[in-house]
Amino acid sequence: MSIQAPHPHPLSAPSPVGSLRQVEVVAGVIRDARGRVLLARRTEGRDLAGLWEFPGGKHEPGESAEDALARELHEELGIEVEIGTALINVPQRYPDKRLRLDVRNIAAWRGHARGREGQALVWVPPQKLPSYSMPPADRPVVAALLQPAHYLVTPPPGEGDEIWLAQLEQALANGVRRVQLRAPGLDATRWRSLVSRAAALCRQAGAEALVSRDADLAAEFGIGLHLPAERLHALSARPLPAGLLLAASCHGIEDLQAAQALGCDFAVLGTLKPTPSHPGVAGMGWKGFATMRESVSLPIYAIGGLNPADIEEARANGAQGIAAIRGLWPTV
């Protein structure tokens, strides 16, 4: 097994983006009866040889994604498959091409999977997928399989701490499993108390908590840290140990590449749509999001005027999911 470098260097193209060839690839998430996921190793003589990937291949002219995936899995593995739901569609820029990796869950399959083209195969328990060295386009696929699709950003608590905590508890009961604790301008003593109680609620619910900006609070309570974009370019080393989550807000390609170089575990990119909290700011839209997504292999949440109904479109443009305040914060 090859151990994946957790935060590879940003990809850059020697040629203008518009001159790069576009490659459409489709891949499948194939599970066995024990829930393990099949990976194939890229053979010698191919680019990125030796790395592990989700099995699949390129479209042929006039071929649908479903037909291409069924054909490729038969040719490569000798199995017949029933194509299931879409998981994520990852746009990724390499030095010589722009790739879109369309990943589907395989609902059922028949036969004995074997490497018919000489490629090594391995069945991997899902939680061990991050330890396999993969091409950049496959890394967001692992995140889509293992990490939450929703990232709640808390609003300020106003005058009622108990109401705010009750709303957080309801959000957790609704299924939120990743939370950024954020309350700009709040008194430090009051905020420390709220972070302590909120972190405890998240732990009880099996959810991940990150605190905005304050590395000392993150370390004190053993939770993650979420950095604003301006902090990314001022830091030369990861401000938390690897065991604690590190995330960042990003507004463009330079921010995303700085987040990846710093060792962030994921990023938030926006604003996608105009929002009341950013009056007069035009959103980047999904096309703009996907173009920026190409530059890194981090899991990235889209933010700005989004709610859970946008998850499908977010995944179709390479997002881990959506981050939101209003779209995920319940009213009590």
Side-chain angles (χ1 to χ4, degrees), residues 245-307:
L245 286 174
L246 181 65
S249 293
C250 298
H251 306 293
I253 290 174
E254 294 78 11
D255 292 342
L256 288 171
Q257 292 180 338
Q260 182 161 276
L262 186 62
C264 287
D265 297 292
F266 64 92
V268 173
L269 178 62
T271 298
L272 196 99
K273 301 177 183 178
T275 65
S277 57
H278 295 82
V281 177
M284 65 180 62
W286 286 117
K287 183 177 180 180
F289 178 94
T291 298
M292 294 184 196
R293 148 80 293 161
E294 291 182 332
S295 65
V296 294
S297 59
L298 284 172
I300 305 173
Y301 292 93
I303 194 168
L306 302 175
N307 61 58

Side-chain angles (χ1 to χ4, degrees), residues 69-100:
L69 182 54
R71 174 186 53 76
E72 285 283 348
L73 295 180
H74 177 70
E75 291 174 358
E76 290 188 8
L77 305 175
I79 60 176
E80 304 293 333
V81 300
E82 178 184 329
I83 310 297
T85 56
L87 177 64
I88 190 170
N89 194 314
V90 183
Q92 185 72 59
R93 178 159 49 92
Y94 291 88
D96 61 337
K97 64 191 173 204
R98 299 175 75 193
L99 180 143
R100 285 195 74 98

Side-chain angles (χ1 to χ4, degrees), residues 227-234 248-251 255 258:
L227 297 170
E230 63 269 17
R231 287 287 308 282
L232 283 172
H233 303 279
S249 293
C250 298
H251 306 293
D255 292 342

